[in-house]
Amino acid sequence: MNSTSVITPAAAPLAVESDLQIAGDILSVQHLLQPAREHPATVAEFAGLARSIAANRAEWEHLVEYDATTRWYHRLRKGPGYEVWLLSWVPGQGSGRHDHGASSGVLTVLDGELTEHGPRGALALGAGAQRVFAPGYAHEVVNDTLEGAVSLHVYFPGLTEMPMHSCSPAHRAHVPA
């Protein structure tokens, strides 16, 4: 009686990440690829733009100024349908409660820490933190620390109005009911 043995090659187990598997070089299938956009068009692309600017300190760090008498800001970039602003915050400085009209936005903390006071309370935002907000979202941003802070703001479409609201959440806690 002959015994039959099966020889299998030693191989690492395959990891399956999705049901779609691509065979060959996807870059050779040009008609399936979207051309790279010159400018961002989606919320994710605007957040990515903010992260890439944040990572390139040489682009913005030399521009930052701190002004104890008024909030300092500088338009860093403008593209079709969006603007990028650089802001500095000295200790105790705040924006006042406001919204951004018809604009959506991405706020990214570049240095220091800011506190956002919004409808759900206060949220501490350290360096690298991002907040995305929809048109009409009302909040106040404050530097509650003893160190300066820097933030980057991307507005899409570009900011045309910033309506102020009467009572800031940061001060509401100090007002007797």
Side-chain angles (χ1 to χ4, degrees), residues 89-115:
W89 309 79
V90 299
Q93 222 166 32
S95 64
R97 185 169 165 78
H98 66 280
D99 67 60
H100 304 93
S103 298
S104 295
V106 178
L107 179 158
T108 304
V109 179
L110 302 178
D111 272 332
E113 184 177 303
L114 295 170
T115 303

Side-chain angles (χ1 to χ4, degrees), residues 113-177:
E113 184 177 303
L114 295 170
T115 303
E116 180 194 31
H117 298 273
R120 295 184 178 166
L123 180 64
L125 303 170
Q130 281 192 309
R131 295 282 289 155
V132 175
F133 50 86
Y137 175 76
H139 67 162
E140 178 178 20
V141 179
V142 179
N143 180 354
D144 287 329
T145 73
L146 298 176
E147 303 292 328
V150 180
S151 59
L152 185 80
H153 303 250
V154 181
Y155 300 108
F156 46 98
L159 195 60
T160 58
E161 62 178 324
M162 196 172 103
M164 300 304 288
H165 296 252
S166 60
C167 185
S168 74
H171 297 109
R172 189 175 294 144
H174 301 88
V175 177

Side-chain angles (χ1 to χ4, degrees):
M1 183 176 241
N2 273 346
S3 67
T4 307
S5 60
V6 177
I7 300 173
T8 57
L14 295 175
V16 177
E17 294 181 20
S18 76
D19 292 337
L20 174 64
Q21 298 296 317
I22 299 171
D25 181 8
I26 187 62
L27 297 178
S28 66
V29 190
Q30 292 296 321
H31 66 281
L32 295 178
L33 301 175
Q34 291 184 353
R37 294 185 220 237
E38 184 178 350
H39 297 285
T42 67
V43 172
E45 289 171 345
F46 284 111
L49 171 65
R51 282 192 302 277
S52 70
I53 293 171
N56 185 6
R57 293 184 75 87
E59 182 178 354
W60 57 267
E61 190 171 40
H62 66 283
L63 298 170
V64 176
E65 297 177 21
Y66 292 95
D67 188 336
T69 59
T70 185
R71 284 185 30 224
W72 177 89
Y73 52 89
H74 172 77
R75 185 165 60 193
L76 193 60
R77 193 180 291 182
K78 183 176 179 161
Y82 72 94
E83 294 178 326
V84 180
W85 291 86
L86 184 64
L87 283 75
S88 69
W89 309 79
V90 299
Q93 222 166 32
S95 64
R97 185 169 165 78
H98 66 280
D99 67 60
H100 304 93
S103 298
S104 295
V106 178
L107 179 158
T108 304
V109 179
L110 302 178
D111 272 332
E113 184 177 303
L114 295 170
T115 303
E116 180 194 31
H117 298 273
R120 295 184 178 166
L123 180 64
L125 303 170
Q130 281 192 309
R131 295 282 289 155
V132 175
F133 50 86
Y137 175 76
H139 67 162
E140 178 178 20
V141 179
V142 179
N143 180 354
D144 287 329
T145 73
L146 298 176
E147 303 292 328
V150 180
S151 59
L152 185 80
H153 303 250
V154 181
Y155 300 108
F156 46 98
L159 195 60
T160 58
E161 62 178 324
M162 196 172 103
M164 300 304 288
H165 296 252
S166 60
C167 185
S168 74
H171 297 109
R172 189 175 294 144
H174 301 88
V175 177

